[in-house]
Each structure stands twice: as C-alpha cells, then as structure tokens.
Amino acid sequence: MPRLSKIRSADFYRKLPSDLTEASLAGAVISICVSAAILLLFGLELNSYLTTEPKSSMVVDRSGSGELLRINFNVSFSALSCEFATLDVSDALGTKKINLTKTVRKLPINEDGERAGHYIHDDRQLDIKYDHPADQQNNTEDWTEPLTHDNFKATTEKYSIVVANFYAPWCPWCQRLEPTWEAVTEQVHSKYPEAEGRIRFAKINCVAEQNLCRENQIMGFPSIRVFRKGRDEITIHGMKDHESYRGDRTTQALLDFADSLVPSAGQPHYYVRGVTRFAKTPGCALSGFVLVKKVPGTLHFLAKSPGHSFDHETINMTHTVNYMYFGNKPSPRRRKELEHLHPMGLTDDWADKMAGQDFLARNAKSTFEHYLQVVLTTIMPLKRPKDNKFDAYEYTAQSHTFSGEGIPAAKFSYTMSPIQIIVTEQKKAFYHFVTTTCAIIGGVFTVAGILDGLLYRGVSLAKKVELGKQG
C-alpha cells in the first residue's frame, strides 16, 4: 500500500538480510566484552541512583527568637578548693547569673586529678550577718596576741578545742569581724577559764604568717577553723574534710557556736548550723550544663565566696578541660548519619576541640581566656520527616594567658556564627537514571561497533595483501 510504503521509508533502523551478514570470532569477543561492560556500568548507575548524596548550603542562622543553647562542661582545677570554686555566666544582653548551683556539681579531686570524695552541694550562706557597730563592745584589752608559726602547733595541741580565725588586715570582711571576734574571745575565755583547757579562741595574721596559712590551705579571708587537739580534719564517708564555721558573724552566733562545741570536745560537731565541711584536697572538678541565649557570652570560673576576701597571689587557676561542647551529644544512629552527611566527615574531636587540654599557670595572678567560635550545622536526612531534623554544633578555640590585677580566673567566651550550615540528602531524578542508562547502552554499543568495523577492515586488508604476495 502506498501509505505504508511512505511510513516504511522513515525507518532509521533498516535491516540487512541475514545472508548478507557475516559472523566473526573477533566480533564475538567484542560482543561479550560489550555486554559485560554494559552490565557493569548499568549496575554502577543503578547503585548511584539508589544512593543519596549530601548537599550543603549556607544561610543566615534561622534559630528562633529566644531559643536557648546548652553548654556542657567538665573542668578540673587542680589547686582551687571546692569551698570557693564558683561559676558565673554573663552575656552581651546584660544577663548575669552569679554562682550557678542548680545545674553545676562539684567533685573534690586530688593533685593527680583523681576523684577524692563525693559530689558536694554548694550550700554557702549568702547573707552572713554581722554585729551592728553600736552593739560591738569596745575592748581596749587585747586578750591574746595573734598566733605565730612558732606557737601555733603547741597552742592547738594544748586545748581540747581551738577556734582559729585566719585573717588578713587588708580584708574588709576581716575588719568588720575584728571587734566582734575580740568581744567573743573575751566572753568565751571568761566563761571557760584557760586553766580548764577546754576551748580557746585565737587568730592568725595571714599577711605576717603566710607560710602557716598556706600549710593550712587557707585561700579566703576570714576562714574560721575548728581544731581538736591540734587537728582540724574530720572523715566523712572516707573523705578527709576541714571542720569549719561559716555561719553568721555576730557575737551571739559565735557564742552559741562556742557553747555547742564545749560539750563535744572529744568528737567533731556535725550538726550545728554554720559548721560545714569541704574536701581537704587541693582541687575541684566542676561539671554540669548551662542554658544561654544565642548571643556572645562568657563562662567565668573563679574563686569567690560571700563574706570572704582573697589573696590573688595564692590563687592558682591551672585547669584541665575534660570536655566542653555545645548542644546535645548525638545518639549512635545520628552519629552514623552525621558521618555520612557531614561535608568534611567526622574527626574524634569534631564537636569538642578542647577535650583533654591542660592549661598551666606559670606565674602568680594568671588568668586564662578561651575564645570559642561556634557554628551550627543542621542535618536534614531524607528518610526522616522534616520536623525530625537535628542540630550539631562545632567550634574553633583560641586560648591565651595573662597576669592582671583582678582575681585570677578561667574565662570561656563564646560567640555564635551568624551563618548556619544546612545539610540535606538528595536523590537522583528517575529521568536522569533513564537518560544515563540509555547513554551507557548506546555509547558502549556504538563505540564497540566502530572498533569491530575497524578491526574487520584491518583483517580483510591484511588478507588481501597476503593473497597479493602469494599471486
């Protein structure tokens, strides 16, 4: 039929009669190789199609207004007593949190950084009361001189109980306590004669007797210690502590404290209000977390206590950062997703650059400053719903040390980067898979056909040349 003939003339793939084709061994070998190559490339393309690929993009931080950032820390101070170890937090908006205790734990450690006791709850009395100046007695008689290194041991061993006030003349809290202490000393010694040897109130000038105060691990002034037959150590749950008084500094409070001590001269007094015990170890490990706004801020570790002053030259802020990271630690499943999707892969310290680092104070009044630049990476896996994305925080850290006039401290200043990295998974489109598959089959088949044609012509030409030589 004429119409069918016209359609047939548009055939791109015209067939040759089978009697006009010729099979060859070389063609068979090429065909087998072509089939294997097509199957291999098709398998690789199928695997690529079924595998997702990460895609990274940078945008301005999309964190919601008022969203809080969790900072997790564990910092060990080898020469800072848990009695005075304090954490303050401040930020660029003027927010200040002083002496955080709710989410912070203190653990006494020894000189090697090993655990030396139980976790301590910070129950420091914040509003220590003093006598009103009008109520303080003006005693002209100095009942006793300050103890010195020469007579301290003999005095504390002579009496059943010695309540010792370690003070510094320049300390304003010591100056406020001085008239009250003299009045209490007079009344206690009048009530309990020295001949009985039951109790003695004494004082030690830590400016004149620096070595004596350091031997007794005095860091803050005033420090009121209780010595029983020359020793101020008590043991609780296998941990050595100081027996000390930290209650109100009024005449009546101190007299009540003295009266409560005398009946128990042979045993440590555990239950009197104002008697507290902190580990008699040189160091303290502070651990926990804080929730802060996503603005520049500072974690400020220092020695501080209400009603005490400090000799800056005796404070050593040498510390070890056991860990310092932002946000929540990923679960094992999420860590696997991070390893797969993270643009640069994961290293051991990818989220905690400061873990295990030691910072040594090489001179007096050393303050440490650490600057942390925090970057937020949001991971959005394809197999999870969009509302199940999770955040991962990384940071860079720079540190330096300097000597200043203020109280030595360890400061961790953090700043959030305004740029957020968003990592998503991408899957290849089906049309891309079909197109690539066709290209593989057509391309390999075409190239192999050309090679087969060249090979066939070459062999035919060689045969003709050989026949010509024979003829």
Side-chain angles (χ1 to χ4, degrees):
M1 297 178 64
R3 290 185 179 178
L4 292 178
S5 298
K6 290 182 179 180
I7 294 174
R8 213 178 269 121
S9 64
D11 185 7
F12 293 159
Y13 307 99
R14 301 191 179 192
K15 312 300 184 295
L16 292 174
S18 58
D19 56 348
L20 296 179
T21 60
E22 180 183 357
S24 65
L25 181 60
V29 172
I30 291 176
S31 297
I32 294 172
C33 294
V34 165
S35 300
I38 290 175
L39 287 175
L40 175 62
L41 294 175
F42 176 76
L44 294 175
E45 180 60 27
L46 179 62
N47 180 69
S48 177
Y49 170 70
L50 296 176
T51 304
T52 58
E53 294 182 350
K55 178 186 177 183
S56 302
S57 57
M58 292 190 294
V59 298
V60 176
D61 194 348
R62 296 176 177 176
S63 300
S65 176
E67 184 176 339
L68 298 179
L69 173 64
R70 177 178 172 133
I71 305 177
N72 308 274
F73 61 87
N74 187 323
V75 184
S76 298
F77 295 89
S78 59
L80 179 62
S81 170
C82 285
E83 182 177 0
F84 301 118
T86 302
L87 170 62
D88 296 344
V89 179
S90 60
D91 63 30
L93 297 180
T95 303
K96 291 185 178 180
K97 299 177 182 178
I98 307 300
N99 188 25
L100 290 181
T101 58
K102 189 174 181 179
T103 60
V104 178
R105 299 191 300 173
K106 298 179 180 180
L107 179 66
I109 58 176
N110 58 26
E111 295 177 350
D112 298 324
E114 300 173 346
R115 180 171 179 162
H118 300 279
Y119 283 101
I120 294 173
H121 174 65
D122 194 340
D123 58 354
R124 284 178 283 184
Q125 187 175 343
L126 299 180
D127 54 342
I128 298 176
K129 297 179 181 178
Y130 288 82
D131 281 333
H132 191 274
D135 299 331
Q136 295 174 352
Q137 300 179 13
N138 185 16
N139 296 311
T140 57
E141 179 184 3
D142 186 6
W143 197 90
T144 179
E145 291 290 331
L147 299 182
T148 64
H149 195 281
D150 296 333
N151 62 7
F152 178 81
K153 183 177 180 180
T155 301
T156 54
E157 291 178 350
K158 176 182 177 181
Y159 293 85
S160 297
I161 294 177
V162 173
V163 182
N165 172 21
F166 293 86
Y167 73 98
W170 51 262
C171 167
W173 305 106
C174 300
Q175 294 168 6
R176 290 186 64 181
L177 176 62
E178 182 179 5
T180 300
W181 188 263
E182 299 300 335
V184 171
T185 300
E186 177 69 22
Q187 294 182 49
V188 167
H189 287 215
S190 297
K191 186 175 183 179
Y192 303 101
E194 184 179 359
E196 297 179 2
R198 288 193 288 176
I199 188 169
R200 165 86 182 263
F201 269 52
K203 59 184 179 180
I204 298 91
N205 184 342
C206 286
V207 173
E209 300 292 337
Q210 292 185 11
N211 292 333
L212 176 60
C213 293
R214 289 173 182 171
E215 289 173 5
N216 286 274
Q217 299 179 352
I218 301 300
M219 183 178 293
F221 308 112
S223 290
I224 301 175
R225 296 280 180 82
V226 179
F227 291 83
R228 299 175 186 271
K229 290 296 183 179
R231 298 175 62 86
D232 69 339
E233 294 181 357
I234 54 177
T235 302
I236 300 178
H237 303 300
M239 180 179 66
K240 290 185 178 181
D241 294 347
H242 293 302
E243 185 175 5
S244 59
Y245 174 80
R246 300 179 67 247
D248 291 334
R249 296 168 185 170
T250 62
T251 301
Q252 190 58 49
L254 288 168
L255 288 174
D256 291 343
F257 178 64
D259 291 338
S260 69
L261 288 174
V262 172
S264 61
Q267 297 293 330
H269 191 83
Y270 294 108
Y271 303 106
V272 173
R273 178 179 178 270
V275 179
T276 57
R277 294 157 301 280
F278 281 87
K280 189 172 183 178
T281 53
C284 185
L286 285 86
S287 62
F289 69 92
V290 294
L291 296 175
V292 298
K293 296 177 182 178
K294 290 188 173 182
V295 296
T298 302
L299 304 185
H300 197 168
F301 295 91
L302 72 164
K304 187 171 66 173
S305 178
H308 289 83
S309 298
F310 298 91
D311 182 357
H312 300 175
E313 293 187 357
T314 64
I315 298 177
N316 183 348
M317 294 302 293
T318 293
H319 60 281
T320 299
V321 180
N322 300 308
Y323 62 75
M324 174 74 66
Y325 64 92
F326 297 81
N328 297 312
K329 269 193 173 179
S331 63
R333 182 179 64 178
R334 287 189 169 180
R335 183 176 176 87
K336 272 191 172 182
E337 292 175 343
L338 274 170
E339 290 175 350
H340 170 63
L341 295 176
H342 196 280
M344 302 300 293
L346 296 187
T347 58
D348 292 338
D349 64 346
W350 71 274
D352 191 356
K353 296 293 192 299
M354 301 193 71
Q357 293 191 30
D358 300 319
F359 299 92
L360 179 65
R362 301 188 181 279
N363 48 49
K365 301 182 180 180
S366 292
T367 290
F368 298 86
E369 289 194 348
H370 309 286
Y371 297 92
L372 314 180
Q373 180 75 38
V374 187
V375 179
L376 168 61
T377 301
T378 300
I379 307 295
M380 302 177 68
L382 187 63
K383 296 179 181 179
R384 293 173 175 265
K386 290 184 178 179
D387 58 349
N388 203 17
K389 64 184 181 181
F390 60 93
D391 296 332
Y393 292 89
E394 299 177 75
Y395 66 87
T396 59
Q398 303 291 334
S399 305
H400 80 109
T401 309
F402 68 92
S403 296
E405 295 300 322
I407 297 178
K411 301 178 182 179
F412 294 80
S413 299
Y414 57 89
T415 302
M416 287 295 300
S417 171
I419 300 300
Q420 177 183 2
I421 301 175
I422 298 180
V423 182
T424 58
E425 283 185 297
Q426 273 193 335
K427 192 174 182 181
K428 286 186 177 180
F430 181 70
Y431 77 87
H432 186 276
F433 169 71
V434 173
T435 303
T436 307
T437 301
C438 292
I440 289 173
I441 297 174
V444 173
F445 191 81
T446 301
V447 171
I450 294 173
L451 291 175
D452 181 61
L454 293 175
L455 182 61
Y456 179 78
R457 289 185 178 87
V459 172
S460 299
L461 181 60
K463 286 181 178 180
K464 288 181 181 181
V465 172
E466 185 66 25
L467 290 174
K469 288 182 179 180
Q470 292 178 359

